[in-house]
Amino acid sequence: MGFSTLIDILGSTIIGGLLLLILLRMNDTAVENNYLFSGEKIVQQNLLDIVRLIEYDFTKIGYCKDWTKIPDPAKAIISATDTSISFLTDVAVSQGNLEGDGVPDTLKYYLGTKEELSSTPNPNDRILYRVVNNQTARGSNLGVTQFKLTYFDALGDTLHPNEMPASPPLGICTIQIDVAVENPAAYGDDYSSERKVIWRQIRLAARNLKTR
Amino acid sequence: MNTGQMLLTIGAIFLLSTVILNVNRGLLTTNTTMITNRYGIMATSLATSMIERAISKAFDEKTDTAEVTSLNQLTLPQNLGLDPGENRNDPNLFDDFDDFNCYRTIPQRDSLILDQNDPSKRIYFNTYCQVDYVDQNNPDLIKNQRTWHKRIKVLVTSEAMEDTIRMSTVYSYWRFK
């Protein structure tokens, strides 16, 4: 084996190694991106599911199949804070009966604590609870990191919860809902702001809040 | 290294480069789609917010405090927009549906903070609104005379988005008797 042959073998080994490194790096990037994109897709789907439910419920604030059961819709919102709201509505009985049963229900939305989900890698995620009447509080971890409610009166001025009356009517006409969702277990523990998806909805809580 | 080996090596490197470029292109395309979707969700929330805000107002300036029984009492098509005492920078002063026509050419500029700890991380959106009288039987047909139906068309654009979010709804005059 001559010297030039050794050079050939050495050169081939180095170039082959470099090519192998490139392929391994490419594979690593592809795997990482696969996780990132899958996570992002799940986060976006979670957000849309949450928003769809919130929109549906909030639109029906003060609604009842038998309207005489909620004679004063201005009193439909029972309590309101920055991260929770409780109101009267008529929850759908089933897919076949979306109008409700004609009996007012109390629906409450509130945000759980970070400690409840200390087992998840994301330090900021919380459970968004939806409680009908006095049922057991239920909620799934969809990666909600922010659920902020801002209230406005008929003039469009902000209503701070500590300035509201102790009992209904609270004077709320419009609600701004800020929802942010993050991946509960992001790849590489990257929970930076660029990874969250935000939804802001300024909506009239319900037509029913106006006296018919 | 003879000529044949040289050609084989060049061919191999060319194939490898092609594969790497294709993989890279695929990753970038997917990334762009994801980011576009994320900003699209934000833009959709702004568009629906604008529509919700609009339909919470009275149908017309004339129906804000009183009822009308004739089309002639409604605002003329060329006058759809702000009324005296209203300011485009203060939507809280708006009292009727067609006031939002003031954003027809000059948009409302919104920003969303991406990071509460760093307010400089913002994304800006421009929201255009177009309010017109429309035909009862064909809501896509803009009428140059007064009807009982108005349509708001909302367009949301952003420098961060490739596409424009377009949404619309028809608002009709009704009253309890």
Side-chain angles (χ1 to χ4, degrees):
Chain A
M1 192 183 287
F3 181 71
S4 64
T5 311
L6 279 174
I7 291 289
D8 282 347
I9 292 169
L10 194 66
S12 303
T13 306
I14 290 169
I15 290 168
L18 284 173
L19 289 177
L20 199 62
L21 274 176
I22 289 168
L23 285 173
L24 287 172
R25 183 86 191 275
M26 194 178 78
N27 188 58
D28 193 35
T29 307
V31 169
E32 181 184 346
N33 277 285
N34 187 40
Y35 276 102
L36 288 177
F37 296 153
S38 302
E40 177 86 11
K41 187 183 171 200
I42 290 166
V43 166
Q44 289 183 11
Q45 284 176 335
N46 285 352
L47 177 74
L48 293 179
D49 288 340
I50 291 166
V51 167
R52 196 177 295 136
L53 184 62
I54 288 174
E55 274 192 355
Y56 181 79
D57 283 338
F58 278 47
T59 305
K60 289 174 71 177
I61 292 176
Y63 160 80
C64 188
K65 186 179 179 181
D66 179 2
W67 69 270
T68 59
K69 298 285 177 61
I70 307 181
D72 187 357
K75 294 181 180 177
I77 298 179
I78 300 164
S79 65
T81 70
D82 289 339
T83 57
S84 72
I85 186 168
S86 180
F87 55 84
L88 293 174
T89 184
D90 194 354
V91 177
V93 178
S94 64
Q95 285 284 355
N97 180 8
L98 297 174
E99 291 182 351
D101 55 6
V103 179
D105 301 297
T106 303
L107 189 57
K108 185 176 183 182
Y109 273 93
Y110 68 96
L111 200 58
T113 60
K114 291 181 183 179
E115 288 70 31
E116 285 178 316
L117 290 175
S118 57
S119 58
T120 61
N122 189 330
N124 302 315
D125 57 349
R126 305 178 186 194
I127 293 179
L128 180 62
Y129 289 102
R130 177 183 184 270
V131 185
V132 181
N133 296 325
N134 295 317
Q135 292 176 0
T136 309
R138 290 180 193 153
S140 56
N141 180 19
L142 294 172
V144 176
T145 55
Q146 184 191 33
F147 177 69
K148 185 168 174 278
L149 298 167
T150 312
Y151 307 98
F152 302 95
D153 61 14
L155 300 173
D157 296 326
T158 307
L159 271 172
H160 297 287
N162 54 2
E163 297 169 354
M164 290 179 192
S167 58
L170 305 180
I172 297 167
C173 270
T174 315
I175 304 173
Q176 177 178 311
I177 309 157
D178 288 275
V179 180
V181 174
E182 293 177 22
N183 193 333
Y187 183 85
D189 284 343
D190 181 9
Y191 301 109
S192 55
S193 59
E194 290 81 8
R195 296 269 169 232
K196 69 170 73 168
V197 185
I198 299 167
W199 177 278
R200 184 174 67 176
Q201 175 77 63
I202 301 171
R203 73 158 45 242
L204 183 76
R207 300 282 183 90
N208 305 299
L209 280 176
K210 289 182 178 178
T211 305
R212 300 175 186 92
Chain B
M1 192 183 275
N2 60 34
T3 310
Q5 290 172 325
M6 183 69 78
L7 284 172
L8 280 173
T9 307
I10 291 169
I13 289 172
F14 175 76
L15 282 174
L16 182 69
S17 303
T18 308
V19 169
I20 290 172
L21 283 172
N22 277 329
V23 169
N24 203 42
R25 189 186 299 121
L27 292 177
L28 286 173
T29 304
T30 314
N31 194 38
T32 304
T33 305
M34 281 293 177
I35 290 170
T36 303
N37 282 351
R38 191 190 305 169
Y39 293 153
I41 287 172
M42 294 179 188
T44 304
S45 83
L46 287 174
T48 51
S49 297
M50 187 65 84
I51 287 173
E52 289 290 337
R53 208 183 297 169
I55 62 175
S56 70
K57 309 295 180 189
F59 175 75
D60 193 272
E61 179 69 12
K62 303 293 191 303
T63 66
D64 184 24
T65 53
E67 68 175 49
V68 299
T69 52
S70 165
L71 288 172
N72 294 331
Q73 293 173 270
L74 298 176
T75 305
L76 286 164
Q78 60 269 28
N79 294 337
L80 293 176
L82 292 178
D83 305 300
E86 291 168 353
N87 184 339
R88 68 182 311 279
N89 296 318
D90 188 2
N92 293 329
L93 296 173
F94 295 2
D95 59 1
D96 67 277
F97 187 74
D98 61 71
D99 289 342
F100 289 84
N101 201 39
C102 68
Y103 301 126
R104 196 179 187 106
T105 52
I106 305 167
Q108 189 194 31
R109 198 161 165 83
D110 284 291
S111 68
L112 285 180
I113 300 171
L114 294 173
D115 188 353
Q116 300 297 332
N117 303 320
D118 185 4
S120 66
K121 284 188 177 178
R122 288 169 177 262
I123 176 169
Y124 290 91
F125 295 94
N126 294 319
T127 307
Y128 297 86
C129 297
Q130 186 180 323
V131 181
D132 297 289
Y133 285 108
V134 290
D135 185 69
Q136 177 176 331
N137 300 315
N138 183 6
D140 290 330
L141 182 65
I142 296 172
K143 302 286 281 186
N144 285 325
Q145 65 255 32
R146 291 169 281 196
T147 67
W148 295 118
H149 314 278
K150 289 175 184 172
R151 185 194 63 188
I152 185 168
K153 206 180 204 178
V154 179
L155 281 75
V156 183
T157 64
S158 171
E159 291 170 2
M161 295 195 314
E162 290 178 355
D163 295 327
T164 301
I165 297 292
R166 288 181 173 82
M167 296 177 83
S168 67
T169 191
V170 176
Y171 192 50
S172 304
Y173 181 61
W174 54 273
R175 61 193 171 92
F176 288 114
K177 295 180 81 173

